[in-house]
Amino acid sequence: MDFTEKRIDRKTVFEGRIINVYNDTVVLPDGKTTHRELVEHHGGVCIAALTENGGLLFVRQFRYPYSKVLLELPAGKLEKGEDPLSAGMRELEEECGVTAESFVPMGEVYPTVAYCTEIIHLFLARGLKKTKQHLDEGEFLSVEEIPLKDAVKLVMDGAIADSKTVALVLKTEKLLSEGRI
């Protein structure tokens, strides 16, 4: 069976700096029509920056939608048309004040598949070199190194709930333990 839905109309609800919101009318596989609310987002990157000690660099920052400080891997949004690798390199230096000799692509995650187009590109960064942190205006965060095994425990205990971080921490641990990266 073909599960494809075909858009027949689009109404713009909101156009913003980070997202656009649409109300689409679609035809379902059975021929009926319905509405889909869609958030358009240019996507982002998330980086597992692996230190020589076997730790990962994390950032703590306040996340307004949840009204609390979260522990996350360094990450950021893509500018429209921006190459994910370039964005990952930029975000790692901006947030953590380090560059990396190598970036290994680790796949993609779709954090909100029901209504958002965001795709987050995952990378493992190795060969870290200290530079200087240069945060965006209005960005406030702290950087800390956490051993990979401790990060996995934080994920499994629910202390880390950010989806991109959960996915990349577990994927990094699994692929490293198997010698695949």
Side-chain angles (χ1 to χ4, degrees):
M1 180 176 180
D2 181 5
F3 298 111
T4 306
E5 298 176 5
K6 182 181 176 198
R7 183 178 78 209
I8 57 173
D9 189 41
R10 169 167 281 178
K11 290 185 177 45
T12 301
V13 176
F14 172 79
E15 290 182 332
R17 187 176 56 85
I18 297 174
I19 63 168
N20 297 322
V21 180
Y22 304 104
N23 187 339
D24 290 352
T25 304
V26 300
V27 177
L28 300 172
D30 65 2
K32 295 179 182 175
T33 62
T34 193
H35 294 275
R36 298 286 186 221
E37 295 172 349
L38 178 71
V39 175
E40 180 184 65
H41 185 286
H42 297 301
V45 293
C46 183
I47 304 98
L50 188 64
T51 68
E52 289 181 10
N53 302 328
L56 293 176
L57 297 182
F58 282 83
V59 298
R60 283 192 192 274
Q61 71 185 98
F62 182 79
R63 291 303 195 174
Y64 182 79
Y66 305 103
S67 295
K68 63 182 176 181
V69 174
L70 296 181
L71 183 63
E72 307 170 47
L73 291 173
K77 66 179 182 64
L78 293 173
E79 299 302 326
K80 187 173 184 175
E82 185 178 19
D83 171 63
L85 175 59
S86 298
M89 295 168 74
R90 173 180 45 79
E91 288 293 338
L92 182 60
E93 188 166 19
E94 281 180 8
E95 291 191 356
C96 295
V98 298
T99 59
E101 289 178 7
S102 69
F103 277 79
V104 178
M106 298 281 282
E108 301 173 342
V109 291
Y110 302 167
T112 321
V113 298
Y115 59 84
C116 187
T117 65
E118 182 179 22
I119 297 172
I120 300 175
H121 304 268
L122 309 175
F123 294 95
L124 172 68
R126 288 182 152 153
L128 306 181
K129 302 243 187 298
K130 187 82 172 131
T131 60
K132 185 175 184 227
Q133 186 183 50
H134 39 100
L135 301 174
D136 291 334
E137 185 175 333
E139 188 174 33
F140 304 94
L141 55 84
S142 64
V143 180
E144 59 189 82
E145 180 179 341
I146 299 175
L148 180 56
K149 65 179 177 51
D150 294 349
V152 170
K153 183 172 180 359
L154 290 168
V155 165
M156 298 309 291
D157 291 346
I160 294 176
D162 170 60
S163 64
K164 66 189 180 304
T165 299
V166 168
L168 189 50
V169 165
L170 296 179
K171 193 168 192 176
T172 298
E173 192 280 329
K174 178 71 172 166
L175 294 176
L176 280 172
S177 71
E178 294 176 354
R180 294 173 52 194
I181 54 173

